[in-house]
Amino acid sequence: MPTLEHHGLVDMFRENPALAPHLLELLFHLDLPPYATVAVVEASLDQLTPVEFRADLALELRDAKGALVLSIVLEVQRDKDPRKKYSWPVYVVVARAQKRCPTIVLVVAPDAEVASWAGEKIDLGLGRGSIDPLVVGPAVVPVVTDQAVAEKETELAILSAAAHGNGPHGLDVALAALGALGRYDHEHAAVYFQIVYNALREPMRRALEALIMQRQTEGKATFPAFAQQLIDRGKREGLQEGKREGLQEGKREGELEGKRSVLFRLLARAGLALTEGERARIQECMDTATLDRWSENVLGAKSVSDVLF
């Protein structure tokens, strides 16, 4: 089931379509065909068979005359899934046939092991053809520790924190990304904070929390509202144990808020209008699994009642 982090990473590219070709040029040093616009398009790739293949996101690059010059099928992959080695070639072939333009698969995989697996050449049969997915993972994403770079390339900084947050420069990478979240509204900042935080293993999480609290206490850094809420909650508790409990509760509230935000955006994009009662039901839901299930239900739903069950 897609997670908050999965939806958050997809939304990062959905809301900034130019990010995908930018990364192709920046990280893979590809010479893209001249293009004037980038747009998100329908991501379902229907076949003549009764099977639907749905990618996470599909983007089209068009030149100044409106002609298609490149199609990008984007997938966020947080775990190994052998089925993808069969569906990714379908994405390329079908999109290429439908759009009659060059097509590539771009996989976002912050985990090193998953990224290595995703980047394997896919043999189409008897060595007569293959697909080479391009993978945005630790091997190509730079270690972004400079705050000025993070401010300029915030999405890259978030990807860097997710990919390198547990490495030798993990704290610096995470802090650079978090320090750049001020450019986003509260909802997006909360989701991106959660992407970075959830990518960290337990020792690094504890170290990050301690450093954030220390720097905030010393007045040496300003963090986005989501992180600030965690810090303030810890301060109000007074004792160290109370601080830890406050942080845990704050993280839970932040995760719930992030999942609600994702659900509201998915419903809006699906054109499903909420009544006041339905909106209140979502706001009052305190179960992350239920919110995940509702987000999954949006796909193909004809009404809100098809989602909230």
Side-chain angles (χ1 to χ4, degrees):
M1 176 180 293
T3 62
L4 169 67
E5 293 76 31
H6 183 280
H7 286 307
L9 288 170
V10 173
D11 270 356
M12 182 188 296
F13 287 85
R14 186 193 309 278
E15 298 185 16
N16 182 11
L19 177 61
H22 174 59
L23 293 182
L24 289 175
E25 294 175 317
L26 179 68
L27 304 181
F28 299 98
H29 310 292
L30 296 178
D31 293 323
L32 302 186
Y35 65 95
T37 63
V38 187
V40 175
V41 295
E42 172 58 47
S44 62
L45 304 168
D46 293 318
Q47 297 291 290
L48 298 178
T49 60
V51 177
E52 182 187 65
F53 293 89
R54 176 170 289 274
D56 286 329
L57 203 65
L59 304 107
E60 292 179 348
L61 277 63
R62 294 179 179 270
D63 64 18
K65 296 181 179 180
L68 270 171
V69 295
L70 181 67
S71 175
I72 302 173
V73 179
L74 186 138
E75 285 273 280
V76 171
Q77 203 65 34
R78 299 183 63 82
D79 299 291
K80 295 180 182 180
D81 183 352
R83 296 172 298 178
K84 296 294 186 176
K85 296 301 179 80
Y86 297 95
S87 60
W88 289 343
V90 174
Y91 296 163
V92 172
V93 174
V94 174
R96 183 173 180 273
Q98 288 180 343
K99 303 174 186 299
R100 299 190 177 184
C101 72
T103 302
I104 62 168
V105 170
L106 181 63
V107 182
V108 180
D111 179 82
E113 187 175 348
V114 175
S116 177
W117 164 83
E120 295 170 353
K121 180 178 293 188
I122 303 172
D123 180 23
L124 300 181
L126 302 178
R128 305 300 294 176
S130 63
I131 298 292
D132 291 302
L134 293 169
V135 182
V136 177
V140 298
V141 174
V143 178
V144 179
T145 58
D146 186 286
Q147 192 61 53
V149 175
E151 295 284 350
K152 183 179 179 181
E153 298 272 3
T154 307
E155 291 90 349
L156 181 63
I158 294 168
L159 291 170
S160 180
H164 302 295
N166 295 296
H169 303 286
L171 276 180
D172 292 332
V173 173
L175 287 172
L178 298 182
L181 294 185
R183 58 174 285 200
Y184 298 107
D185 58 39
H186 177 78
E187 290 185 358
H188 286 83
V191 171
Y192 294 152
F193 183 101
Q194 204 71 44
I195 289 173
V196 173
Y197 184 84
N198 285 2
L200 302 179
R201 291 191 284 271
E202 194 65 20
M204 195 62 74
R205 288 186 184 184
R206 300 285 83 81
L208 177 63
E209 291 168 359
L211 187 55
I212 287 178
M213 293 178 67
Q214 177 185 341
R215 289 195 176 184
Q216 186 64 27
T217 300
E218 296 173 351
K220 294 182 178 179
T222 300
F223 295 92
F226 181 74
Q228 186 67 52
Q229 289 172 3
L230 301 186
I231 296 163
D232 289 345
R233 182 179 294 275
K235 287 180 178 179
R236 287 196 298 269
E237 294 296 331
L239 299 176
Q240 188 63 36
E241 181 62 29
K243 289 181 181 180
R244 286 196 295 268
E245 292 176 357
L247 284 167
Q248 291 296 336
E249 180 62 24
K251 290 195 290 288
R252 171 174 163 75
E253 290 179 4
E255 183 179 8
L256 287 167
E257 182 175 347
K259 289 180 181 292
R260 294 188 194 108
S261 298
V262 168
L263 177 56
F264 283 135
R265 290 202 297 273
L266 290 173
L267 288 166
R269 291 197 183 100
L272 301 177
L274 291 164
T275 65
E276 288 300 318
E278 291 166 340
R279 182 173 293 275
R281 185 180 174 193
I282 294 173
Q283 290 284 15
E284 293 168 2
C285 179
M286 301 297 290
D287 181 64
T288 57
T290 298
L291 291 169
D292 280 337
R293 176 166 54 83
W294 287 347
S295 293
E296 277 290 290
N297 292 344
V298 174
L299 182 62
K302 302 299 182 183
S303 66
V304 176
S305 60
D306 293 334
V307 176
L308 306 182
F309 69 86

